[in-house]
Amino acid sequence: MSKKIALVGIGKIARDQHIPSLAASAAFELAATASRHGTVEGIDAYPDLASLLAERPDIPCISLCTPPHVRYDDARRALEAGRHVMLEKPPGATLSEVHDLAALAEAKGLTLFATWHSRHAPAVSAARDWLANQTIRRLEIRWKEDVRHWHPGQDWIWEPGGLGVFDPGINALSILTAIYPHPLHLTRADLRFPENRDTPVAADLTFADGRGTDLRAAFDWLKEGSPEWDMHIDTDAGYALLSEGGARLSINGVETSAHAGPELEGEYPALYARFADLLAAGASDVDLSPMRHVADAFTLGRRTTGAAFNW
Amino acid sequence: MSKKIALVGIGKIARDQHIPSLAASAAFELAATASRHGTVEGIDAYPDLASLLAERPDIPCISLCTPPHVRYDDARRALEAGRHVMLEKPPGATLSEVHDLAALAEAKGLTLFATWHSRHAPAVSAARDWLANQTIRRLEIRWKEDVRHWHPGQDWIWEPGGLGVFDPGINALSILTAIYPHPLHLTRADLRFPENRDTPVAADLTFADGRGTDLRAAFDWLKEGSPEWDMHIDTDAGYALLSEGGARLSINGVETSAHAGPELEGEYPALYARFADLLAAGASDVDLSPMRHVADAFTLGRRTTGAAFNW
């Protein structure tokens, strides 16, 4: 039997991913939305979460697609009202607020799910399983895209808490922390800020794993044309390329079978399936490691200022 | 019976606090030091931790007073060698590395203690107990000191990972997170960087506790003369002032009894007493909340650039 769920924040990511995923889900039924402007045809619409919670006690699950800097207040409000909550990535503007939400969910016996959609890209689990048995010499992340194409007009990404190039970069870090077989931590970060913005447009990161492995990441938000969402991995057993944001894996030039079948577009359906599993188990899943690496990068960052960014 | 302990990093904080505290401790006996330059008269000295660990299997406990950006490698080395570890504040250069150390200590059944000395200032527990029963309207931290007086020539504080004005500011945050009766998170940070340095010289912070309380902190590293290490707290039951870095508490102008007796200088003796208790219990204590607020401040920070800083 499907559970009623409400979507909060009807913008680009809700339309591109959440609404189609819920339409195809047997576990959930989209019962209402809350958004200042956006609505979904045929679905009850509320202007804000407070009125939705007040008027719809029949909806036990809330999925938040609002920008991260306003997510805390809504998540807290939903948990206080006894609802289970699923959070888009990143789960908040600060680490501390998500710790607070996780403690609140636990105290109330509710499910809180901090999602990392890229971890459900089709080739990620194959990459993790293969790497578990390898000696890794070098791993280089190259995550480069055109912000004007992928985030058109989204000014909040340039504001404090919007993370700048770490908004896509945290997807790479969510994959890295899922597939890398050892703990790792940042040792250096070089961040480039547009002179008129509060968040970086490019970042070069170096990590250490206590084993001397060469670990680095380059994030760039001004790459025109095709995006580059790749991880290049040298091991004692050869070279692996995890490409297209985790969708494809080739090992020594041989494509693995991951890049076939309908699951290519399956990241968000997988998130909702996981949310259903967590609800059934009465469990939460709040892994902050990708966001912790981003906070570490801001803390350790050496800053340079570059040209102004305008849309 | 006292336990043998080794001190790593014989600099200002080791001489001012750790060595006298250990000399007065019944729980510990300073058995060796490891430091590139510093030595302690009459105590076996090693040039680095690796040689100390190799030559002194009889020393079960290691206390690290080195700067935070080099602490991880030594802490990991000591844990790998089966030793219990106590860390000066902040416990590392990144949150992720301390998570890694905590997991390693747990896996090996060793004690890891991330210390926050200011939490042991004489009036902190009285402030916590009093605030637990109050409705708080406003809390303002003012933490202002002269970096040239308190950190003479310590260039590492200006380097990435050195935290700048958050090096003293994290003491305030360690007290705040110990005495404040509700979870809180940062909502705004304004950071001023000297044009020739990678860490801030001043910070203005705003927090939220989900109850509308007015919560703010002002850190400044260029205040000449007497330092200001104060928290001003307005409650429904009146005004409390926690001053002198947690040493004194007055409530509605009446000094509490905390500011008397030998415990005024007792922060570091209390840390070693706590370490001894943790060892006896086979437990660890790694509370990262003060450091998480600092990482949140760097992540959310709006930056301004000011005059160059030179010693």
Side-chain angles (χ1 to χ4, degrees), chain B residues 50-69:
Chain B
S51 47
L52 184 151
L53 293 171
E55 294 178 38
R56 298 299 299 269
D58 61 308
I59 301 177
C61 303
I62 307 288
S63 179
L64 297 179
C65 311
T66 44
H69 61 284

Side-chain angles (χ1 to χ4, degrees), chain B residues 179-211:
Chain B
I179 68 173
Y180 201 72
H182 311 293
L184 37 76
H185 63 273
L186 201 78
T187 55
R188 178 171 176 130
D190 291 273
L191 310 179
R192 191 166 85 246
F193 285 70
E195 63 181 22
N196 62 337
R197 303 288 182 172
D198 284 313
T199 58
V201 69
D204 287 297
L205 311 178
T206 308
F207 294 88
D209 65 353
R211 297 156 182 260

